[in-house]
């Protein structure tokens, strides 16, 4: 059984409201907090207003690429349950976790088996390990067979250009599944119909 579902890159109140009021809510929703290269990036003032709502028991995730103390201090009082960290070493990850008393998703970008094995450096620190592609703001693939030897007991998440129709056939049933680009229209805006299809499919899986 798939352990959970994360919808990443939500940036407007209409989409967020739709997801939170759906009959089959995801486990998590991710918000791009400091990576300005992403089309899904949200400026702080907008972000603050966007997530100041009843979360309906859905976990909110701040997606951060190598965050400095300035942005971490800025967001520390927002309603986030997890920080998803890219390009942060284990020592810095531990510092952030302890200082801000926050759950951590460590994102590893994968192109080789060596990249996968880096999870061992974080397994005692992070609450979830995310195995993602090297694309960052772009939805790119990586070879999911590289994850074959990742232990089942590890709390983990998988991303990397996963499509809606992949859900029912996904090999990795003990992962949280993270989708973003697959839920967007040609203009890069979240598509309500695609989100509805995903949430209904996930409920049946």
């Amino acid at each position: 059984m798939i352990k959970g579902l994360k919808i990443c890159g939500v940036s407007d109140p209409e989409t967020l409201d739709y997801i939170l009021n759906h009959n089959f809510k995801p486990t998590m929703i991710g918000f791009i907090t400091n990576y300005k290269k992403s089309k899904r990036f949200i400026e702080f003032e907008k972000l603050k207003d966007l997530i100041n709502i009843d979360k309906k028991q859905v976990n909110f995730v701040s997606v951060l690429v190598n965050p400095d103390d300035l942005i971490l201090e800025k967001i520390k009082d927002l309603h986030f349950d997890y920080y998803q960290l890219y390009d942060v070493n284990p020592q810095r990850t531990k510092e952030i976790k302890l200082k801000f008393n926050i759950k951590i998703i460590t994102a590893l970008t994968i192109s080789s088996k060596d990249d996968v094995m880096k999870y061992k450096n974080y397994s005692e620190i992070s609450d979830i390990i995310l195995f993602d592609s090297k694309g960052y703001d772009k939805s790119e693939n990586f070879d999911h067979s590289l994850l074959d030897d990742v232990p089942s007991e590890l709390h983990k998440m998988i991303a990397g250009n996963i499509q809606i129709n992949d859900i029912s056939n996904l090999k990795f049933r003990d992962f949280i599944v993270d989708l973003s680009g697959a839920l967007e229209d040609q203009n890069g805006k979240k598509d309500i119909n695609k989100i509805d299809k995903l949430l209904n499919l996930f409920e049946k899986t």
Side-chain angles (χ1 to χ4, degrees):
M1 180 178 180
I2 294 170
K3 294 291 187 181
L5 180 69
K6 176 166 163 275
I7 294 176
C8 198
V10 174
S11 59
D12 66 275
E14 294 79 19
T15 302
L16 182 58
D17 182 71
Y18 179 82
I19 296 171
L20 291 176
N21 287 288
H22 198 279
N23 287 333
F24 310 123
K25 298 174 184 59
T27 315
M28 301 175 174
I29 300 174
F31 304 87
I32 312 301
T33 305
N34 77 328
Y35 193 61
K36 295 185 179 182
K37 292 181 181 179
S38 173
K39 62 190 175 186
R40 308 170 186 114
F41 167 70
I42 313 172
E43 294 285 355
F44 175 73
E45 291 301 326
K46 181 182 176 184
L47 175 67
K48 184 171 65 172
D49 292 338
L50 180 67
I51 68 171
N52 187 26
I53 55 174
D54 179 359
K55 297 187 288 186
K56 308 285 181 73
Q57 298 183 311
V58 175
N59 289 297
F60 280 11
V61 180
S62 172
V63 179
L64 297 151
V65 178
N66 190 20
D68 58 21
D69 286 343
L70 185 64
I71 186 63
L72 292 171
E73 287 291 339
K74 210 171 184 181
I75 67 170
K76 68 180 181 181
D77 295 322
L78 301 188
H79 295 169
F80 286 120
D81 302 284
Y82 290 85
Y83 290 170
Q84 179 174 310
L85 304 179
Y86 286 83
D87 300 342
V88 180
N89 66 44
Q91 180 58 38
R92 173 70 169 154
T93 299
K94 189 173 182 179
E95 290 172 3
I96 291 170
K97 181 174 185 174
L98 294 176
K99 182 176 181 179
F100 297 98
N101 190 28
I102 189 78
K103 293 178 182 177
I104 298 292
I105 301 169
T106 286
L108 301 177
T109 57
I110 307 300
S111 62
S112 69
K113 197 74 172 179
D114 287 343
D115 293 330
V116 174
M117 289 300 110
K118 290 176 184 176
Y119 82 82
K120 295 180 180 180
N121 300 325
Y122 296 89
S123 58
E124 299 298 318
I125 304 166
S126 304
D127 299 273
I128 299 170
I129 305 294
L130 166 62
F131 298 95
D132 200 356
S133 73
K134 294 284 186 182
Y136 290 86
D137 58 311
K138 304 177 186 69
S139 295
E140 294 182 1
N141 296 312
F142 74 93
D143 182 0
H144 289 165
S145 70
L146 292 170
L147 306 179
D148 284 349
D149 296 328
V150 175
S152 59
E153 62 269 19
L154 184 73
H155 294 294
K156 51 198 175 292
M157 184 183 295
I158 187 170
N161 200 29
I162 297 171
Q163 302 300 309
I164 296 171
N165 291 332
D166 294 336
I167 293 291
S168 56
N169 300 314
L170 201 64
K171 176 181 176 183
F172 299 103
R173 295 290 178 174
D174 54 352
F175 284 70
I176 299 168
V177 180
D178 184 347
L179 282 84
S180 183
L183 304 176
E184 295 171 354
D185 61 23
Q186 292 181 336
N187 299 315
K189 181 175 170 54
K190 286 289 185 286
D191 185 321
I192 295 297
N193 291 323
K194 291 181 178 179
I195 291 172
D196 180 56
K197 180 180 178 182
L198 171 68
L199 294 175
N200 284 296
L201 184 61
F202 176 68
E203 178 65 18
K204 297 172 184 175
T205 302

